[in-house]
Amino acid sequence: MEKDVDGCQDGAKTLPSTGLGTEGAETQLDDFVGAHPDYNEEEEEQKYFRRKRLGVIKNVVAASLAGTLTYSVYLGLLQMQLILHYDETYREVKYSNIRLEDIDHKVLMGINVTPVAALLYTPIFIRFFGTKWAMFLAVGIYALFVSSNYWERYYTLVPSAVAIGMVIVPLWASMGTYITRMAQKYYEYVNYKEEQEKERQRRPRDACNAYIIVFQTVFYSCFHLSFVCAQMPMVFFLNNYLYQLNHTLFAVKHCGEAGRGAGRHREPLGLGLTMACAPLAGTLSHGTLPGFNKTVLQSLPRSVSLIIVESALMAAAFLAMLVVSAGAEGDRPRLPPTIGIGGWQELTAGAPQVLVLCGAAYRPMEEIDMRSIGWGNIFQLPFKHMRDYRLRHLFPLFIYSGFEVLFVCTGFSLNYGVCALGLERLAYLLMAYGFSASACSSLALCMLCLRRQIPLLAGAFIHAALLVTLFCWAPEPRYLAQAPLLYSIAVLWGAGSALNKTGISILLGMLYKKKERQDFIFTIYHWWQALAIFTVYLWSGLPMKAKLSIMLLTLVVAVGTYLWMERKVVQNMEVRLPRIPRPRHKTRGYRYLEDNSDETGSDGDGDKEDNDKEDNDRHPTEAASEDELPKEDGEQLG
């Protein structure tokens, strides 16, 4: 009993000390988990959104470099291989047992004809894989085309060429969507305070236009350098094996006379210099430069040298794939301030994303929402968007946008440049065009302070003057004194191309700001460019003056319809846009919280879509009553 009493007394004595120990542990826990006295929520918030803005800039630069690498590798390899295949001696020595000319013809047919059907599957392709992964898969197909040239056979070259034709429109449509989406995200990160304070108010109509102008300018400034990089194999490798102009142009009597005699016999370089590179380059016409020598190589390159060049191009293609591939996800939710400054720094240490990779264009829930409108609706929406008068008035401008770069890379460079300066100067002529286009893309920044019509009209005026000049003038064969004039024409044409390409992409970004519509709009744009490629493939036998006349007529019609469209926009004429249904989620299985998802609503208000509030800002009952889905699938679209 005494022991028990003593034990109780001892326990009573230790009780206060136990309470003090618990209070001390709680104090230590509060110090560890609670907000640090030096924690500044506003400063941490600023740092977070600054990292997000840097991530967007990284994404734009990475996508631009990936597009430049992809297109330069493709264009450079195709140009080099077709020049080699044109040489009669090369074909006999290397491939005497196969019909290489017939294979080249089928390769060009696959690249040019296949994109005609791209409008049927491109939106489904982009919505199924997502914008970023659509870019990655398309760049991978381009890398596959490069690898097929290691073993040049019918069953390697032709299927890879058909695959290239299938992903041409998806690649450039996803690129245009990605850059426009990055501009919108950058605007959101810059104005995050305004978004928080005015979450119930409508966003200004032209809020992110400045960022669209800047980001599209950066993209095209980088992309046009692909025409420069594509000439590296020819400058550093192929030019060492080419004959000089006195040999290759010995029987050429006239320049700028493409098409005479086409169809009666195979004329020189009908396939040899064909650059069927969509959507910005296309095929040379058959029957080009009558009298051009069928032997252009003074010595045959060794197979080991060709493998080294192709391996370097393959490495560049893989680098482009890595740049586009696995990037960080979209938005990471901001951590609460209760973690403390030490815990904040530890948990957000990985927030700066990898600086050589593209990030996602949309959050995962946004992409799920965009797919959930139904694959039938996704298939129909590109066709239904064509009812919008703004797009219909821009169709001629889309077609001319395909014609003009096709022409400078094929008709002008061969019938004017090569005819006067020789095949060995072809690379330098296209490099002058590429440098000029890259530098003059920055002129589109004038849209920040001037009307958006000015860059497009300036580019059209430059091209119209050059087309008239080329129609009335043809250079003398083998006359090097004409080089300054030819280089000047290439530089001016590059300036016009830069204003044309950059201006159209900026215009589409301004007119269609809804993220649910952008992939459809850019698909339509690049599909019309694919039709222009197909037209160039068909007109291969026409005389040069006929081609110039078609281009000039298309340019005049394009400028007229564009000005007519701008006039209707100024008059606030109502547009007819298809209704995009709200996402339909399955009721079983995993389901995320719809309060945090960006659900698309009805856009049947036409041009007022830019003034509508975001769906996640609206009250759920209002959104449900306003965007209720019809019962029948056939009634979901206006």
Side-chain angles (χ1 to χ4, degrees):
M1 287 295 295
E2 292 180 358
K3 288 183 180 179
D4 293 340
V5 172
D6 295 339
C8 291
Q9 290 177 354
D10 294 339
K13 290 179 181 179
T14 58
L15 235 114
S17 63
T18 304
L20 291 174
T22 305
E23 292 177 0
E26 290 179 354
T27 303
Q28 292 178 359
L29 185 62
D30 290 340
D31 292 339
F32 180 76
V33 178
H36 196 277
D38 296 334
Y39 173 75
N40 189 330
E41 182 178 357
E42 183 177 357
E43 181 181 354
E44 294 297 330
E45 192 175 45
Q46 291 176 355
K47 291 180 180 179
Y48 174 76
F49 282 101
R50 183 165 59 248
R51 286 194 296 267
K52 302 301 288 183
R53 293 194 296 270
L54 291 176
V56 169
I57 295 174
K58 174 263 301 180
N59 292 339
V60 173
V61 174
S64 304
L65 294 178
T68 302
L69 286 173
T70 301
Y71 199 67
S72 59
V73 167
Y74 167 62
L75 178 60
L77 177 65
L78 191 62
Q79 177 181 343
M80 181 186 72
Q81 291 290 56
L82 291 176
I83 290 176
L84 291 173
H85 295 173
Y86 170 77
D87 187 80
E88 204 170 48
T89 307
Y90 182 88
R91 293 197 309 271
E92 291 297 326
V93 173
K94 295 277 187 177
Y95 303 101
S96 58
N97 58 335
I98 63 174
R99 298 182 60 188
L100 200 59
E101 290 179 87
D102 185 59
I103 293 177
D104 286 345
H105 179 70
K106 288 183 170 57
V107 164
L108 299 175
M109 182 181 295
I111 293 174
N112 287 289
V113 178
T114 310
V116 174
L119 191 64
L120 302 176
Y121 59 82
T122 297
I124 298 176
F125 183 85
I126 295 176
R127 290 288 173 103
F128 182 80
F129 291 104
T131 303
K132 187 189 75 172
W133 290 109
M135 292 165 52
F136 173 75
L137 292 174
V139 172
I141 296 297
Y142 277 77
L144 174 66
F145 178 78
V146 177
S147 65
S148 67
N149 283 269
Y150 281 107
W151 185 252
E152 297 175 311
R153 293 294 185 273
Y154 181 89
Y155 50 84
T156 59
L157 294 178
V158 176
S160 63
V162 173
I164 283 283
M166 291 183 64
V167 299
I168 282 172
V169 176
L171 174 63
W172 301 113
S174 58
M175 281 281 187
T177 304
Y178 188 83
I179 299 299
T180 304
R181 180 59 185 155
M182 287 299 107
Q184 294 174 337
K185 293 181 74 171
Y186 193 86
Y187 167 79
E188 295 171 1
Y189 297 148
V190 168
N191 300 278
Y192 66 94
K193 287 188 176 180
E194 286 77 2
E195 293 295 322
Q196 293 172 358
E197 295 171 357
K198 302 178 180 180
E199 58 182 5
R200 292 295 178 182
Q201 298 181 11
R202 295 182 177 181
R203 180 181 298 179
R205 177 169 182 170
D206 299 330
C208 60
N209 283 356
Y211 301 109
I212 292 175
I213 293 171
V214 173
F215 284 9
Q216 291 288 355
T217 299
V218 171
F219 174 76
Y220 279 101
S221 295
C222 293
F223 174 75
H224 282 122
L225 290 176
S226 62
F227 293 93
V228 179
C229 299
Q231 305 309 314
M232 296 301 106
M234 194 167 178
V235 170
F236 294 107
F237 173 70
L238 195 58
N239 275 358
N240 299 325
Y241 300 94
L242 293 177
Y243 276 115
Q244 297 301 309
L245 73 164
N246 289 330
H247 173 81
T248 54
L249 298 171
F250 177 76
V252 176
K253 304 300 182 184
H254 303 282
C255 295
E257 298 293 334
R260 293 187 178 180
R264 295 193 296 269
H265 60 281
R266 180 182 177 273
E267 295 293 350
L269 294 185
L271 292 176
L273 285 178
T274 304
M275 291 174 286
C277 307
L280 297 178
T283 59
L284 285 177
S285 58
H286 301 282
T288 303
L289 276 183
F292 200 91
N293 202 314
K294 293 184 179 181
T295 302
V296 297
L297 300 175
Q298 57 183 347
S299 62
L300 300 183
R302 299 179 60 186
S303 298
V304 176
S305 301
L306 288 173
I307 291 175
I308 292 174
V309 173
E310 291 170 357
S311 299
L313 295 175
M314 192 68 191
F318 272 116
L319 179 61
M321 291 179 64
L322 291 176
V323 170
V324 177
S325 64
E329 286 300 331
D331 291 340
R332 186 178 300 175
R334 187 175 181 277
L335 298 176
T338 56
I339 296 179
I341 190 167
W344 177 281
Q345 292 175 351
E346 181 179 355
L347 290 174
T348 60
Q353 303 163 355
V354 184
L355 293 180
V356 294
L357 302 174
C358 286
Y362 300 95
R363 294 190 294 269
M365 298 304 104
E366 290 178 316
E367 291 189 339
I368 291 175
D369 283 345
M370 289 194 291
R371 295 189 195 109
S372 299
I373 67 174
W375 297 109
N377 295 328
I378 295 174
F379 175 81
Q380 297 175 47
L381 280 170
F383 301 95
K384 295 196 172 185
H385 272 90
M386 292 188 186
R387 298 180 299 187
D388 182 1
Y389 74 84
R390 296 175 294 181
L391 274 181
R392 291 202 308 268
H393 286 66
L394 290 174
F395 287 166
L397 195 59
F398 296 163
I399 294 175
Y400 179 76
S401 178
F403 282 166
E404 51 100 356
V405 181
L406 309 180
F407 174 77
V408 74
C409 290
T410 58
F412 170 75
S413 62
L414 186 60
N415 289 277
Y416 291 86
V418 172
C419 183
L421 308 177
L423 185 58
E424 62 275 15
R425 300 288 194 281
L426 172 65
Y428 302 107
L429 199 66
L430 292 177
M431 288 174 69
Y433 166 80
F435 278 124
S436 173
S438 177
C440 293
S441 294
S442 60
L443 296 177
L445 294 175
C446 69
M447 299 174 75
L448 292 170
C449 54
L450 300 176
R451 288 188 172 186
R452 66 190 181 194
Q453 297 94 322
I454 292 178
L456 283 169
L457 296 179
F461 177 78
I462 294 173
H463 280 179
L466 293 176
L467 287 171
V468 173
T469 301
L470 294 176
F471 189 89
C472 301
W473 171 78
E476 293 292 331
R478 303 179 302 278
Y479 189 43
L480 296 179
Q482 301 166 113
L485 179 58
L486 291 169
Y487 281 110
S488 299
I489 293 176
V491 168
L492 289 174
W493 198 282
S497 295
L499 294 173
N500 179 281
K501 294 290 186 296
T502 313
I504 291 177
S505 296
I506 291 173
L507 179 65
L508 293 178
M510 289 180 175
L511 293 178
Y512 301 94
K513 295 186 179 65
K514 282 288 185 179
K515 61 188 177 186
E516 297 88 353
R517 300 189 184 276
Q518 290 166 2
D519 54 339
F520 300 123
I521 300 304
F522 282 97
T523 295
I524 293 170
Y525 167 38
H526 291 288
W527 180 71
W528 279 101
Q529 284 193 334
L531 291 185
I533 296 167
F534 183 61
T535 304
V536 172
Y537 186 77
L538 294 178
W539 78 12
S540 57
L542 292 179
M544 180 55 64
K545 289 189 175 181
K547 298 178 183 179
L548 293 171
S549 301
I550 293 174
M551 290 184 60
L552 186 59
L553 178 62
T554 306
L555 178 59
V556 172
V557 173
V559 171
T561 55
Y562 168 66
L563 293 176
W564 192 9
M565 184 272 292
E566 290 286 2
R567 181 183 178 185
K568 288 185 176 180
V569 171
V570 170
Q571 294 174 350
N572 294 323
M573 183 174 292
E574 184 179 358
V575 298
R576 186 182 182 187
L577 285 172
R579 177 182 178 273
I580 298 181
R582 295 182 63 225
R584 296 175 296 179
H585 303 293
K586 295 180 180 179
T587 57
R588 65 178 183 275
Y590 173 75
R591 188 174 182 180
Y592 61 89
L593 295 176
E594 296 185 1
D595 293 338
N596 295 328
S597 64
D598 293 328
E599 296 182 350
T600 51
S602 173
D603 292 316
D605 297 334
D607 197 41
K608 296 181 181 179
E609 66 172 29
D610 295 328
N611 290 329
D612 290 338
K613 293 180 292 185
E614 294 295 329
D615 293 314
N616 58 353
D617 291 337
R618 293 185 299 178
H619 194 275
T621 58
E622 294 175 359
S625 62
E626 184 176 334
D627 297 327
E628 186 176 1
L629 277 173
K631 296 181 180 180
E632 298 295 331
D633 292 342
E635 299 175 359
Q636 288 180 352
L637 298 176

